[in-house]
Amino acid sequence: MCPYSPAFLPFHFLLLVLLSSIFLPLCASTHDYHDALTKSILFFEGQRSGRLPPDQQATWRGDSAVSDGSQAGVDLEGGYYDAGDNVKFGFPLAFTTTMLAWGVVEFGELMPPDELRNAEVAVRWATDYLLKTISHPGLIFVQVGDPINDHNCWERPEDMDTARTVYNVTADRPGSEVAGETAAALAAASMVFRETDTEYANMLMAGAKKAFNFADTYKGAYSDDPGLKAGVCPFYCDFDGYQDELLWGAAWLRRASEEDNYLEYIQNNGKTLGAEENINEFGWDNKHAGLNVLISKEFLEGQVLSLESYKGSADSFMCTLVPESTSSHIQYTPGGLIYKPGGSNMQHVTSISFLLLAYAKYLSQSAMTVNCGNITVGPTTLISQAKKQVDYLLGDNPMNMSYMVGYGTRYPQRIHHRGSSLPSISIHPQPIACKDGSDYYTSPDPNPNPHIGAVVGGPGDDDVYKDDRADFRTSEPTTYINAPLVGVLGYFVANPY
Ligand SMILES: *[C@@H]1O[C@H](CO)[C@@H](O)[C@H](O)[C@H]1NC(C)=O
Ligand SMILES: *[C@@H]1O[C@H](CO)[C@@H](O)[C@H](O)[C@H]1NC(C)=O
Ligand SMILES: *[C@@H]1O[C@H](CO)[C@@H](O)[C@H](O)[C@H]1NC(C)=O
């Protein structure tokens, strides 16, 4: 913990400290949030699929999967690989997009202009692809790449020769989770471009409505269809049902369009779709905590009384994150990191940190607080909880290491990521076949291509990190770990203390 907070020091003392340059050694927990923000966005360049533009900065990557979609006679080039593999999974990709866009919507104006622009580029790379997935009548394309074949190889995306199977959902084989999340993503992104590119924003909004109608008209979970199940499970099965994505899609459409029919949808369907359940989860599969925060904004600003229960649910979620409250029950590591079992823990850290900041913003705009049993919690407490998580991620932790590649002096060297761990196509242009990558996979050497900005799954519940490439649960980056972090870092660039 930083014992000296500049804000509370007398000016002459502060000046003395700065002049004698003992300021930094005294206070090691001041992070370069701007640097971290830049890198968190750059990460998305390393995940790009398709033809790369001339201004690509992650130059260790090359063009890949340029004919995705050809198997179905359509163009599905583009988008992002979800993690350390080369599959384009639509469900987590759409969630990634929603979170990137939400970060820009809430905190974009706090970002340095260059970074705001870079964040918009990262959103657009995803939405250009999502628009392609919904542009054919009667179906939505939900994935490209056979995950079993893909995972069987340790291959650079540029060399990929595994089946680029194209998966779709239809009226007969519905996928309301992926369609609902796609609606949320496109609606949120329409707000990002509303002022800078109205034509594109309108296209996104039209796409969001179309995806939502599809999700709502043909209700069902994509993993209930045996063919789709074989493609999406066990990686991104719909474990938690599609009902939350219907409400989430409606909530984003309401926020972006301000149309009353989406508000009515939430009011009429909230109970049957299980929104009253207080499920303290938020991630690519479960939207409940995020939904409660987002709809609370509507209640706090519009005083729509029928939505009051969403604030109650958001409040009790926030209380679980405040260790000083009687209702606290989320797990923290001894070093103070939010911890949920199941692997890729940093996804919870970043998405919960985002919700803490978004809720703090909504509360402070309406001068509200949260009652957590024996204590009352205001925005400042929520912000400081988020800051602790981010500072841990960036290096204030028992391992003294940053969990973002390229940030700080010590960070993961052996991330579970095919492109990062194999020699770059620019240095080693000869193809490396499926099984020929194994030597690189098992090598104890650091990855040759530092995937700048990639945040890994992170340490175990004992705060220990082994930097083991084979342990994907701890060493693999994913797009939905980084996506919520972009907005969070944007906030802390402007509010570093
Ligand atoms: C959609 O998926 C079904 C089932 O796999 C397949 O038969 C059909 O050809 C696909 N349609 C397109 C346009 O890819
Ligand atoms: C609230 O309760 C918690 C847990 O019992 C306790 O640690 C904390 O000191 C209490 N705070 C106040 C202000 O009473
Ligand atoms: C981290 O830094 C602290 C303080 O310098 C030191 O006591 C501790 O041993 C370090 N831990 C590791 C794992 O390097």
Side-chain angles (χ1 to χ4, degrees), residues 35 74 90 108 155 160 177 208 297 342 374 377 407 453 492:
D35 185 45
V74 297
E155 223 175 11
M160 229 186 321
E177 65 298 278
K297 182 179 194 294
N374 63 344
V377 167
Y407 178 87
F492 285 116

Side-chain angles (χ1 to χ4, degrees), residues 82 84-90 142-154 160 162-167 222 227-237 418 434:
D82 74 301
D85 56 7
N86 302 323
V87 180
K88 296 196 298 205
F89 290 101
V142 296
Q143 183 167 320
V144 185
D146 178 319
I148 308 296
N149 279 329
D150 182 277
H151 289 185
N152 209 17
C153 294
W154 196 258
M160 229 186 321
T162 48
R164 298 303 286 173
T165 310
V166 176
Y167 302 85
Y222 72 168
L228 277 162
K229 185 176 181 177
V232 302
C233 298
F235 314 101
Y236 296 102
C237 293
R418 286 161 178 75
C434 171

Side-chain angles (χ1 to χ4, degrees), residues 435-477:
K435 292 295 178 193
D436 294 348
S438 303
D439 291 346
Y440 299 96
Y441 176 69
T442 54
S443 162
D445 294 341
N447 288 6
N449 313 305
H451 192 345
I452 303 298
V455 177
V456 295
D461 61 2
D462 54 0
D463 294 301
V464 174
Y465 185 70
K466 299 212 173 67
D467 204 6
D468 174 5
R469 194 180 292 117
D471 186 3
F472 64 90
R473 294 157 64 91
T474 62
S475 69
E476 188 170 21

Side-chain angles (χ1 to χ4, degrees), residues 71-74 139 141 166-170 173 225:
Q71 195 213 59
V74 297
L139 51 75
F141 293 104
V166 176
Y167 302 85
N168 66 66
V169 295
T170 59
R173 294 175 290 102
D225 174 73

